[in-house]
Amino acid sequence: KSDLARKAQKGTMEFLLINHPLDCPICDQGGECDLQDQAMGFGSHSTRYTENKRAVTDKYMGPLIKTIMTRCIHCTRCVRFSTEIAGVSEMGMLNRGENAEITTYLEKALDSELSANVIDLCPVGALTSKPYAFVSRPWELKKVESIDVMDAVGCNIRVDARGQEVLRVLPRLHEDINEEWISDKTRYACDGLKRQRLDRPYVRKDGKLQPASWPEAFAAVAERMKGLKGKQIAAIAGDTVDAESMYALKRLMAELGSPNIDCRQDGAAIGQGPRGGWIFNTTIAGVEDADALLLVGTNPRWEASLVNARIRKRWLRGGFPIGVIGQPLDLTYEYEHLGAGAQTLAEVADGKHSFAKVLKSAKRPMIVVGMGALSRGDGAAVLAQARAIAETYGMIQPATVDDDGDTQPGWNGFNVLHTAAARVAGLDMGFVPGKGGADVAGIVAGAQSGAIKAVYLLGADEIDTDALGDAFVVYQGHHGDKGAHRADVVLPGAAYTEKDGLYVNTEGRVQMGFAAGFPPGEAREDWKILRALSEAVGKTLPFDTLGALRQALMADHETFAAIDTIEPAAWGEFGASGAVDDAPFTSPIENFYMTDPISRASKTMAECTEIFVLRRQPAATGTNG
C-alpha cells in the first residue's frame, strides 16, 4: 500500500485501459467483470491518454460465443483454454504489436463441447454469451447451487433465475468432478426448460389427449389399474429423474405387487452383483493417478466431456498410453486404435494383443467400459471380459498396511462410464427387475403381446414408445416428448431446476440439487405426484414430506446417506460368460447436443446441432451472425 505500489498499480491499469472502450453501461459483462473490479480497486479516477482508441472487427465464433473484440486486452486466457484443456487448436493470436488480434484462425465456429468456458475466463466483455446477451443484469438474478443432469458426470452448477425463468447456468468449483468447467450442453440447454412444457394433467379421450384436473387424472389411472395383477403392471424410470421419485415409484410398484421395474432404458447389462460392477471406481480425479488406459465402447468426448478433459490433462503429463476398442474417434489426445469390437477385447483379455503388455507393465492401469459395449445383446459377456482384464492386469489392488501401521490406499481401475444422470442411483436402490420380473425389453415385448396391460413411464423418453401396443401408458414428466405423445394419462412433473433432489454420478458420488423455481402451471414435484397417486390407487405410501422420504431411502440404502463423498465399492463376480457378437462397438450418442427432453426442446442446442453435427458451417461474415 506504499505510494510507489499505488502509483505502479494505477499506471498498469492506465495501460490496460488505453485501448479498452469504456462502454460498461452497455456491456454484458458489467457487474461481474474482472477488469471493472480491478479498475475500481487499483485504477485512477481519470486517464491521461488522449489519442484515438484502436477498433477491432468482431469475429464469428459460432452460436454460443458473442465477440466484441475491441474490448480484448490480449490476456490469451481463451487461447490457452481451447488449446490446453479443450484440446482444440482453432484459436490464437494473429499479427503483432498494435495489430494483434485474437481469433479462430479461419473465422469459423469454435468446435468443442467445452467452448463456452472461454466466456467465464474472459476478464473483460470481449467474449460473452450469445444466447444470454442483453437478457438481464447479474444483480437481478436469484442464484441457486445445483447439480447438472445432462450427463452422468454430476457437474456442480449454479442456476441463475429471474422469477420463474432460468436464464443461465454457470459452473461451480468442484476439483474432484468438473474442476471449474462445464460442457456447452450443460450451460445452454436451459432455454429448453421453457419450451414444450407439460403444465397440466391430460387424459386421452376418443383418441386425443384432453386437459384434465388432477383428481380426474388420478381417477383414470386408478380405474385402469383396478383388477390388474402385479405382473400385468410395469414401470420404467428415465435418465434424468431424481433418486427420491425413483424410490417412491419403486415402493409403489412393490405395493402393487409388480416385479417389472427397470431404470436401464438402453438395456445395459449392469446392476447384478456388487456395486463395484457399475460405477467409475477409479473416480474422475483418480484418472490423474493412472498410468495406462483402455477405453471400451465409449466416446468420452461426447458421453462425459469433463471426464474426457481429465483424461487429456493426465495425457499431457506424459507416460500415459491409451488404447481404444470401438469406433475410431476424434478425441483430444493421441491413442492407439486396437480394434472395433468384442473380438479385440477377448484378445487383450487372453494376452494375445500387443496392448496387453502395456497394461501388464503399468502400475496403475485402468479400463473404462461405456454403454456402447454394455447395451448390446452380448453386454453381460462383454462386462465379464472387462472384469477379467481388470483382474488379470492388476487393476484391482486392495489397501495394505505398511510396516509403520499406516494404511496405504488400494487401487481399483475398473470403471463403467454412464451416460444417464439417474442410472447409478437407480442401480444403487435396486430399480431393476425383481424375481420373475421383466426388464425394459421384456416390458415392451409384454406390452405388445398383451401380457403387460399398464406401463408407468417416469420421465422415460428414450425407449420405443410406439412398440407398447395396446397397453395403458401413464407418463409422468416435464416435457411433451416421446413418452407424452404415446401416453393415455399425462402427469406433469418438475424439471431438475424446479425441485430438490438427490443425484448419484457415474463414480457413485451422491449429490444434492436445489430448486431454483417452481414447476409451471399445475405441474408438481415428482415424489408428490407419486404420493398422491398411491392414495388414489389404495396403496398409500408412508411418507408425507421430502425429509421423511429421504429418511426411508437412506434407511433402505445406506449409500445415499453419504453426501458428496466416495465410498470404496465392494468387488466380486459380475457379468456372465457367453458368446459375443462380432459387430463393432458404437457410441450410444449420435448427437451430443440433443440427448434428453430438455436439450431436444432447446433452440440453442438446435443451432449447435445444425452447425456442428450436420456440418452446415456458415460463411464467416466478420460479425456476430
Side-chain angles (χ1 to χ4, degrees):
K1 294 184 178 180
S2 66
D3 290 342
L4 183 65
R6 287 185 181 279
K7 190 175 180 182
Q9 289 163 352
K10 289 182 178 180
T12 302
M13 190 54 61
E14 265 189 288
F15 277 118
L16 278 174
L17 295 176
I18 275 177
N19 278 318
H20 189 73
L22 303 179
D23 51 4
C24 299
I26 60 159
C27 177
D28 244 14
Q29 204 78 348
E32 47 189 8
C33 169
D34 292 352
L35 187 66
Q36 201 176 53
D37 294 341
Q38 294 291 329
M40 284 291 291
F42 306 108
S44 182
H45 57 80
S46 60
T47 180
R48 293 171 287 175
Y49 186 76
T50 57
E51 308 297 319
N52 290 331
K53 289 179 181 279
R54 185 183 77 145
V56 182
T57 310
D58 293 341
K59 307 294 186 289
Y60 174 76
M61 289 190 186
L64 305 178
I65 304 168
K66 176 178 175 166
T67 63
I68 301 96
M69 299 313 293
T70 300
R71 299 173 185 162
C72 179
I73 59 171
H74 300 150
C75 68
T76 68
R77 285 185 188 180
C78 53
V79 178
R80 287 195 60 196
F81 173 83
S82 59
T83 307
E84 296 174 21
I85 294 168
V88 179
S89 302
E90 295 180 0
M91 206 177 188
M93 185 181 285
L94 300 181
N95 308 322
R96 300 171 72 179
E98 195 179 46
N99 297 319
E101 296 181 20
I102 298 284
T103 178
T104 50
Y105 294 120
L106 299 177
E107 289 214 19
K108 65 172 189 174
L110 191 59
D111 191 358
S112 167
E113 300 74 39
L114 303 172
S115 65
N117 287 291
V118 299
I119 295 166
D120 297 333
L121 289 173
C122 185
V124 294
L127 304 177
T128 54
S129 172
K130 192 178 279 190
Y132 178 70
F134 308 119
V135 169
S136 75
R137 286 298 197 183
W139 52 83
E140 300 174 334
L141 304 173
K142 181 176 79 171
K143 303 169 180 67
V144 178
E145 296 182 349
S146 194
I147 304 299
D148 171 50
V149 300
M150 296 293 117
D151 56 29
V153 177
C155 291
N156 284 229
I157 56 173
R158 192 186 87 193
V159 180
D160 287 3
R162 183 174 60 191
Q164 286 305 101
E165 188 178 355
V166 173
L167 297 183
R168 66 176 179 179
V169 170
L170 296 175
R172 278 193 296 132
L173 181 68
H174 196 305
E175 292 289 2
D176 291 336
I177 302 176
N178 56 306
E179 297 179 290
E180 56 204 297
W181 322 118
I182 52 173
S183 74
D184 292 349
K185 180 168 56 177
T186 297
R187 187 184 298 265
Y188 286 117
C190 61
D191 65 333
L193 289 167
K194 60 184 178 184
R195 293 183 174 85
Q196 299 181 8
R197 288 303 300 269
L198 300 172
D199 59 357
R200 66 180 70 177
Y202 289 87
V203 176
R204 193 175 293 276
K205 297 175 183 173
D206 302 323
K208 288 187 177 181
L209 285 171
Q210 308 282 354
S213 66
W214 278 108
E216 288 171 347
F218 288 149
V221 176
E223 180 65 31
R224 291 298 296 268
M225 293 279 194
K226 194 184 294 180
L228 291 183
K229 296 175 182 173
K231 288 204 169 183
Q232 295 177 313
I233 304 170
I236 301 172
D239 289 348
T240 62
V241 298
D242 57 289
E244 292 92 338
S245 56
M246 270 193 291
Y247 179 71
L249 180 57
K250 184 186 175 212
R251 290 283 297 263
L252 178 58
M253 288 295 125
E255 290 290 327
L256 293 169
S258 171
N260 307 316
I261 61 172
D262 204 351
C263 64
R264 304 162 299 184
Q265 288 188 90
D266 53 11
I270 44 176
Q272 309 302 321
R275 190 175 189 237
W278 65 71
I279 65 171
F280 202 93
N281 292 284
T282 302
T283 72
I284 296 170
V287 171
E288 296 184 38
D289 298 326
D291 55 3
L293 170 63
L294 178 62
L295 296 172
V296 180
T298 180
N299 177 2
R301 186 170 173 183
W302 277 15
E303 294 169 26
S305 304
L306 277 303
V307 173
N308 194 63
R310 192 75 74 147
I311 294 171
R312 175 177 169 79
K313 182 179 180 182
R314 172 62 187 89
W315 172 79
L316 284 172
R317 286 196 349 238
F320 192 54
I322 301 171
V324 170
I325 300 177
Q327 299 166 286
L329 301 168
D330 179 18
L331 299 176
T332 57
Y333 36 82
E334 293 174 7
Y335 63 86
E336 181 186 347
H337 186 247
L338 310 181
Q343 191 65 40
T344 308
L345 190 67
E347 288 175 13
V348 175
D350 296 339
K352 296 175 183 176
H353 198 285
S354 59
F355 199 76
K357 295 177 184 174
V358 175
L359 294 176
K360 200 163 191 175
S361 61
K363 291 181 179 176
R364 289 190 159 190
M366 61 182 286
I367 182 172
V368 176
V369 189
M371 293 300 113
L374 299 178
S375 56
R376 314 186 328 163
D378 61 352
V382 171
L383 186 64
Q385 284 186 345
R387 177 172 63 85
I389 288 174
E391 292 173 346
T392 303
Y393 297 107
M395 296 183 189
I396 313 302
Q397 303 168 17
T400 56
V401 179
D402 61 19
D403 296 337
D404 298 328
D406 296 328
T407 301
Q408 300 300 319
W411 174 257
N412 190 331
F414 179 86
N415 304 288
V416 173
L417 185 60
H418 291 275
T419 55
R423 184 69 50 84
V424 177
L427 297 174
D428 282 352
M429 71 175 67
F431 203 101
V432 291
K435 190 176 181 182
D439 59 9
V440 165
I443 291 169
V444 172
Q448 274 187 322
S449 68
I452 291 177
K453 300 189 181 300
V455 180
Y456 199 103
L457 302 179
L458 178 62
D461 294 279
E462 314 307 321
I463 63 167
D464 183 7
T465 52
D466 295 331
L468 292 175
D470 295 328
F472 174 69
V473 178
V474 180
Y475 177 78
Q476 178 181 334
H478 42 77
H479 274 75
D481 207 78
K482 301 171 191 173
H485 285 290
R486 168 59 185 84
D488 297 296
V489 174
V490 174
L491 306 176
Y496 75 105
T497 57
E498 297 155 1
K499 60 186 174 185
D500 294 349
L502 295 174
Y503 301 93
V504 187
N505 75 348
T506 191
E507 57 182 358
R509 187 189 297 267
V510 182
Q511 298 187 100
M512 198 175 290
F514 296 97
F518 298 99
E522 295 178 41
R524 295 292 181 266
E525 291 177 47
D526 291 297
W527 76 268
K528 289 182 178 178
I529 296 172
L530 287 156
R531 169 64 179 76
L533 178 64
S534 69
E535 202 168 328
V537 297
K539 303 287 184 183
T540 305
L541 293 173
F543 32 75
D544 297 327
T545 65
L546 184 60
L549 193 163
R550 281 181 177 160
Q551 279 188 327
L553 169 63
M554 292 171 186
D556 284 355
H557 309 282
E558 59 185 26
T559 55
F560 288 92
I563 305 295
D564 198 24
T565 59
I566 295 287
E567 300 289 334
W571 185 259
E573 297 234 350
F574 53 86
S577 58
V580 292
D581 193 339
D582 289 338
F585 297 138
T586 56
S587 173
I589 296 180
E590 296 177 3
N591 176 5
F592 166 77
Y593 297 98
M594 289 187 171
T595 54
D596 61 276
I598 298 172
S599 56
R600 283 194 286 266
S602 165
K603 181 184 174 187
T604 309
M605 292 298 98
E607 288 178 32
C608 289
T609 298
E610 186 175 345
I611 291 170
F612 298 121
V613 180
L614 304 180
R615 297 298 174 194
R616 290 205 290 267
Q617 192 75 260
T621 59
T623 69
N624 277 301

